[in-house]
Amino acid sequence: QVQLVESGGGLVQAGGSLRLSCRASGSIFSIDTMGWYRQSPGKQRELVAHINRGGSTKYVDSVKGRFTISRDIRRNTVYLQMNNLKPEDTAVYYCRGGRTVGGTWYPPDYWGQGTQVTVSS
C-alpha cells in the first residue's frame, strides 16, 4: 500500500502563487509516476500535470507556462508550483501515484485526500 499526503492549498488572490506538496510513504517502489489532478464542483476530475521517475513531464494546456511540477525522489515528494493563478484554477487538487506506460496509468494507483485551492478575483 501507498499513502499520499498533500499540503499547501489555501486561498490566494488572482495573480498570486501557491506551492503544493505531496509526500508518498509505504510501498513506494511501486511508483514511477506522480501527478496532480483537480476537480471543481460539477466538473470531472482532470489531469493538471504528472512527472515520471526519469523527469518527463506532461501538463494540461490551461496551465502550461504557469505551473511547474517537480519531484524529489529522495524525499518521495512531488511539488506543484502554481504561479499567476486564475479564478478558474479553483478546485480540489489531488495527488496521484502509480505506474504509467505511454502516459496511461496502470493499476494499482493511489490517490491523496485532496487539498483545496481557492483563487479569488
Side-chain angles (χ1 to χ4, degrees), residues 38-56:
R38 65 186 179 187
Q39 188 169 20
S40 51
K43 294 187 177 181
Q44 289 190 331
R45 192 173 296 187
E46 66 169 355
L47 168 72
V48 178
H50 65 67
I51 183 169
N52 67 16
R53 187 174 291 274
S56 295

Side-chain angles (χ1 to χ4, degrees), residues 40-119:
S40 51
K43 294 187 177 181
Q44 289 190 331
R45 192 173 296 187
E46 66 169 355
L47 168 72
V48 178
H50 65 67
I51 183 169
N52 67 16
R53 187 174 291 274
S56 295
T57 59
K58 179 179 180 179
Y59 295 89
V60 66
D61 286 346
S62 60
V63 307
K64 287 179 180 178
R66 300 188 298 122
F67 292 10
T68 302
I69 190 169
S70 61
R71 184 172 180 177
D72 186 334
I73 292 178
R74 288 186 307 165
R75 292 184 169 86
N76 304 317
T77 300
V78 65
Y79 305 97
L80 186 68
Q81 178 66 45
M82 305 185 293
N83 298 327
N84 190 22
L85 283 159
K86 303 177 180 180
E88 51 264 42
D89 295 317
T90 295
V92 178
Y93 283 70
Y94 297 90
C95 180
R96 186 179 189 183
R99 293 187 307 116
T100 61
V101 177
T104 300
W105 293 84
Y106 286 83
D109 61 335
Y110 306 92
W111 292 87
Q113 80 286 355
T115 184
Q116 177 70 46
V117 171
T118 302
V119 184

